[in-house]
Amino acid sequence: MQGALGSGADPTSIVAHLADRTAKVQNHYPGALAVDDFLARVEVALAAYGFRGDNSLALTNVCRDESTGILKAKIDEIFGQAFNINGLGGVVTCGVTGIGAGISHAPIDPSGRERYVFFAFPHAAVDEKGEPASIYRPGRAEKSNACGALLFAVNAVKEGGIEEDSAGEHDPKEPEGSILISRIKEQMRMEKADPKTIDVVEMTKVSYSLLRNCALCCTSSRVPL
Amino acid sequence: MQGALGSGADPTSIVAHLADRTAKVQNHYPGALAVDDFLARVEVALAAYGFRGDNSLALTNVCRDESTGILKAKIDEIFGQAFNINGLGGVVTCGVTGIGAGISHAPIDPSGRERYVFFAFPHAAVDEKGEPASIYRPGRAEKSNACGALLFAVNAVKEGGIEEDSAGEHDPKEPEGSILISRIKEQMRMEKADPKTIDVVEMTKVSYSLLRNCALCCTSSRVPL
């Protein structure tokens, strides 16, 4: 969350501003946490199970948008350079070979155990007026979108519905975009979501469920590399 | 390049070691530069054309392997958080939507100009004995490979040849792997490369040509997002 407060601002105003921004984010995404808060909880919780920066490897799956780099950099600070499974809208396209590579790179402890931490997230903006998907990027006066790929998916299902696509086919000019939408449709069929009424906030939640399923599917189909 | 020298080593030995390691890398990849040397040259060369960290956006395309994170972090230090177009073996699968998003996020200068810097690389290991594709990862005694996806491609073309695949088809469990190999085959046909004799060093050079072509193709097909 970025605010408009200068460095000389009254600390009380900063706290009030951040509380207001948090409320506007949680209005759309209940339970959302600020990134430092979230990662501190993750680090402490995983430390209880023996996961540390020097004995674990993270696999990070976030959208390609550079605005997700802030989160990725903070994960790298805790667990070292992560294996990167980024895709548009968080779609996992690296397959069993990609996941298989990622889960064969961690340090091996004396008992033979390897430790991996999967981070998989869609991303979403909420601007200071509370509008979802609205983001202002440095040096650009016009409003931009996040996640653009999920807005693309909203339009695709509103126009084209959620009928099943042929497995193993993609648009050669849009490999990831078409695979993302095909999987979004599958998830929406499972959830019985209505393509006519879906908005970007609901699509973000569909994407969240989808990429958890994708990651589970890939890891359960692991092949040695 | 990582060496086995401790922090108390004689500086003369360190220089000799680095010169030896550089020679072993250049034996397979003539003209290869160390990352700091390369990026200093890039930064100076682009500064002459007005590209700076505060007015440009980088798009980085490297393999998903966490060992490429060192390079990516150094690019981020110069140009800020980059738009990430990573794929296995450097394959570009984010399509016109992905590239279109990346090239609509940079700061706009008063004349309306936007500045983008594309970094696209395959990755390759050379160990201290000079063996290509050999890499030792922290906390793992067994040798590992880099780039694993390009070794996968070497095996695929040795076994299956380089006949044309059907456009727009992929293995649902290996979206990126199968798209990578399909494009590798196309590049090898263009270069009249022999799939029976290709090794990982030659495959790395094929990949380098391929991903330059992919990036050019995506940017020339830009669609607004």
Side-chain angles (χ1 to χ4, degrees):
Chain A
M1 298 185 296
Q2 289 185 332
L5 296 170
S7 58
D10 169 11
T12 314
S13 304
I14 294 175
V15 170
H17 174 78
L18 291 176
D20 177 64
R21 293 289 284 120
T22 301
K24 281 175 174 147
V25 173
Q26 290 180 338
N27 181 40
H28 299 292
Y29 302 103
L33 294 174
V35 61
D36 291 333
D37 185 2
F38 168 70
L39 286 176
R41 295 180 195 215
V42 168
E43 188 174 6
V44 169
L46 289 180
Y49 294 91
F51 287 74
R52 302 186 314 267
D54 63 350
N55 72 2
S56 308
L57 182 71
L59 283 81
T60 54
N61 177 33
V62 286
C63 187
R64 298 182 177 286
D65 189 328
E66 72 284 355
S67 66
T68 68
I70 297 165
L71 169 62
K72 185 160 182 327
K74 287 176 184 283
I75 294 171
D76 288 354
E77 282 173 16
I78 299 172
F79 294 107
Q81 294 288 351
F83 191 92
N84 179 306
I85 50 176
N86 281 12
L88 289 178
V91 67
V92 179
T93 58
C94 64
V96 290
T97 295
I99 297 286
I103 58 175
S104 61
H105 289 181
I108 305 175
D109 81 5
S111 71
R113 177 171 288 189
E114 302 175 29
R115 292 177 177 84
Y116 298 93
V117 187
F118 286 76
F119 290 95
F121 308 92
H123 80 127
V126 178
D127 73 15
E128 64 183 19
K129 292 177 186 161
E131 187 185 342
S134 164
I135 187 170
Y136 290 83
R137 298 180 188 275
R140 299 182 73 92
E142 295 281 320
K143 190 171 76 170
S144 180
N145 296 318
C147 168
L150 294 180
L151 284 163
F152 182 68
V154 168
N155 292 334
V157 302
K158 276 186 190 292
E159 288 173 16
I162 55 171
E163 293 299 305
E164 188 168 353
D165 293 318
S166 302
E169 291 187 7
H170 63 267
D171 175 351
K173 285 198 170 180
E174 296 284 10
E176 261 176 48
S178 52
I179 293 169
L180 169 68
I181 287 164
S182 181
R183 294 202 190 144
I184 287 278
K185 289 177 180 175
E186 187 179 3
Q187 185 69 31
M188 288 178 67
R189 290 195 301 274
M190 282 172 54
E191 297 183 10
K192 303 191 189 308
D194 183 348
K196 293 294 177 204
T197 60
I198 196 162
D199 62 15
V200 69
V201 174
E202 287 307 310
M203 183 58 83
T204 306
K205 294 171 186 174
V206 168
S207 166
Y208 174 70
S209 304
L210 166 67
L211 57 86
R212 281 182 59 187
N213 293 348
C214 285
L216 289 170
C217 173
C218 286
T219 52
S220 66
S221 313
R222 180 189 176 185
V223 290
L225 186 68
Chain B
M1 296 184 297
Q2 289 185 331
L5 296 170
S7 58
D10 169 10
T12 315
S13 303
I14 295 174
V15 171
H17 173 79
L18 291 177
D20 177 63
R21 293 288 285 118
T22 301
K24 281 175 174 146
V25 172
Q26 291 180 337
N27 181 41
H28 297 293
Y29 301 103
L33 294 174
V35 62
D36 290 332
D37 185 3
F38 168 70
L39 286 175
R41 296 181 195 215
V42 168
E43 188 174 6
V44 170
L46 289 180
Y49 293 92
F51 288 75
R52 302 185 313 266
D54 64 349
N55 72 1
S56 307
L57 181 72
L59 284 81
T60 54
N61 175 34
V62 288
C63 188
R64 298 183 178 283
D65 189 327
E66 72 285 356
S67 65
T68 67
I70 298 165
L71 169 62
K72 184 162 182 327
K74 287 176 184 283
I75 294 170
D76 287 354
E77 282 173 17
I78 299 172
F79 292 106
Q81 295 288 352
F83 191 92
N84 180 306
I85 50 176
N86 281 10
L88 288 178
V91 67
V92 179
T93 58
C94 64
V96 290
T97 293
I99 297 285
I103 58 176
S104 61
H105 289 181
I108 304 175
D109 80 8
S111 72
R113 177 171 288 189
E114 302 176 28
R115 294 177 177 83
Y116 298 94
V117 187
F118 286 76
F119 290 95
F121 308 93
H123 79 128
V126 177
D127 72 15
E128 64 182 21
K129 292 176 185 162
E131 188 184 343
S134 165
I135 186 170
Y136 289 84
R137 298 181 189 273
R140 298 182 73 92
E142 296 280 319
K143 189 171 77 172
S144 179
N145 296 318
C147 167
L150 294 180
L151 283 163
F152 182 68
V154 168
N155 292 335
V157 302
K158 276 187 189 294
E159 288 173 15
I162 55 172
E163 293 299 305
E164 189 168 353
D165 293 318
S166 301
E169 291 186 8
H170 64 268
D171 175 351
K173 284 198 170 179
E174 295 284 10
E176 259 176 50
S178 53
I179 294 170
L180 170 67
I181 287 165
S182 181
R183 294 203 190 142
I184 287 278
K185 288 177 180 177
E186 186 180 4
Q187 185 69 29
M188 287 179 68
R189 291 195 300 274
M190 283 171 54
E191 297 182 9
K192 302 190 190 310
D194 183 348
K196 294 294 178 205
T197 59
I198 197 163
D199 62 17
V200 70
V201 174
E202 286 308 311
M203 183 58 84
T204 305
K205 294 171 185 173
V206 168
S207 166
Y208 175 70
S209 303
L210 166 66
L211 58 86
R212 282 184 58 188
N213 293 348
C214 286
L216 289 170
C217 173
C218 287
T219 51
S220 66
S221 312
R222 180 187 178 187
V223 290
L225 185 69

